[in-house]
């Protein structure tokens, strides 16, 4: 293996996207020096952080002082190119398309809806209180995971993991959603295939160690 | 070039994600038989459509009767592997990471917020009326494009297009956002770099022909 790069990760303890990067790094045998950026106090909007990522978004991975890498799925693809083994994508183009699609269904169509900036907007501009926000969270966690269940349960390409019996990027993204739902004490019913795959993932140290509860900044249990 | 596959595209006339697939197919010299699925009447929730895509999401691309391809960025990556020229991604890993990140910043962090299912939820459950919905649309179109402006304007890797002087996936996703904002008569100020790149893209037939106003189902001008 080539010399490992120096990696700096900026993330928030309970961020779903940060979880994905932590898992992928662990699977690839990479470690990063991690910086906690508190989304609740909008530390991501300070001049110091905007100098690192002008878009103000997390996570950010910086390799050997080079320009910041942002957006969790782009970071996962990059890590997969940097350290090809174990692969996070199947070898065939249609398999890659399926894994990328499963990943995007949650990383794009579900997770961005339930982030702190959305809560702040709805509370400041649309009269949301804690109960309306919780209804919103439950609705989109449920919609996202149940849509995933329909896809996975009906597809013969689903195996031990989302795509056959090998771990891929889709499993990392899938596990990242209940990992954060759990922080909010939100459970989704009627998703046995999802639950089975997430339970299988959580047996692996790369996933267990990335759990929000184990990160710096998490509240004491 | 290999024989072109038979492609069937299911999309909605003003969908930003459908726009991306249309542009990518045109750039690759591919054509599809297109089916209009009306998101406003929830034609994507009918048993007929759910048999095609159990997740009920658009766009869907079907190649030669094989399983459906979904999620616009996964479809673009697949088309880029199927027909490598002209490439939609740079040749170097860090360039690919940058282009994927720019693409995801809009396809994941912006576009999913302003889709019909979000409007339906907010109107049915959170007392939104047309004015509150418009404020929401304007807020997230603006936040997304201004964040993109900050990234593009401050980065020496930005050129005629988002990444240097060659068209990539990032330009397709970037152009897909104002293409839909225009349908809602929403303009975003203070984004000169974005505006310049989108104007450059719109000179290309692949982009001009994918405009929502030119699709089946669009209202008469």
């Amino acid at each position: 293996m080539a010399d490992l790069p120096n990696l700096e990760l900026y993330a928030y303890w309970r961020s779903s996207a940060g979880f994905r990067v932590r898992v992928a790094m662990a699977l690839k045998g990479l470690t990063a020096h991690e910086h906690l950026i508190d989304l609740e106090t909008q530390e991501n909007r300070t001049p110091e952080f905007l100098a690192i990522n002008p878009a103000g978004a997390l996570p950010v991975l910086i390799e050997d002082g080079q320009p910041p890498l942002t957006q969790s799925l782009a970071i996962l693809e990059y890590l997969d190119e940097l350290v090809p083994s174990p692969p996070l994508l199947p070898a065939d183009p249609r398999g890659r398309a399926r894994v990328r699609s499963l990943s995007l269904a949650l990383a794009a169509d579900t997770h961005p809806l339930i982030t702190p900036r959305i809560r702040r907007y709805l509370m400041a501009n649309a009269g949301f209180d804690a109960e309306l926000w919780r209804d919103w969270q439950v609705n989109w966690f449920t919609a996202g995971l149940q849509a995933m269940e329909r896809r996975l349960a009906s597809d013969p390409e689903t195996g031990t993991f989302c795509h056959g019996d090998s771990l891929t990027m889709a499993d990392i993204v899938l596990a990242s959603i209940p990992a954060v739902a759990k922080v909010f004490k939100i459970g989704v019913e009627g998703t046995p295939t999802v639950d089975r795959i997430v339970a299988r993932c959580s047996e692996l140290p790369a996933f267990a160690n990335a759990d929000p509860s184990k990160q710096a900044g998490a509240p004491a249990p």
Side-chain angles (χ1 to χ4, degrees), chain A residues 88 90 94-95 97-106 145 147-149 151-178 193-201 204 207:
Chain A
L88 301 182
R94 290 195 66 89
R98 180 170 179 271
V99 166
R100 287 179 173 132
S101 172
L102 290 167
S103 303
L104 285 158
L106 291 173
L145 291 174
M148 189 64 99
E149 176 69 24
R151 286 182 68 176
L152 292 172
S154 67
D155 191 334
E157 294 194 272
T158 304
T160 312
F161 291 106
C162 287
H163 193 74
D165 296 330
S166 299
L167 184 71
T168 65
M169 182 183 295
D171 302 295
I172 299 176
V173 180
L174 179 61
S176 77
I177 302 297
T193 315
V194 166
D195 298 347
R196 169 176 68 69
I197 294 171
V198 171
R200 178 71 188 85
C201 289
L204 304 173
F207 286 76

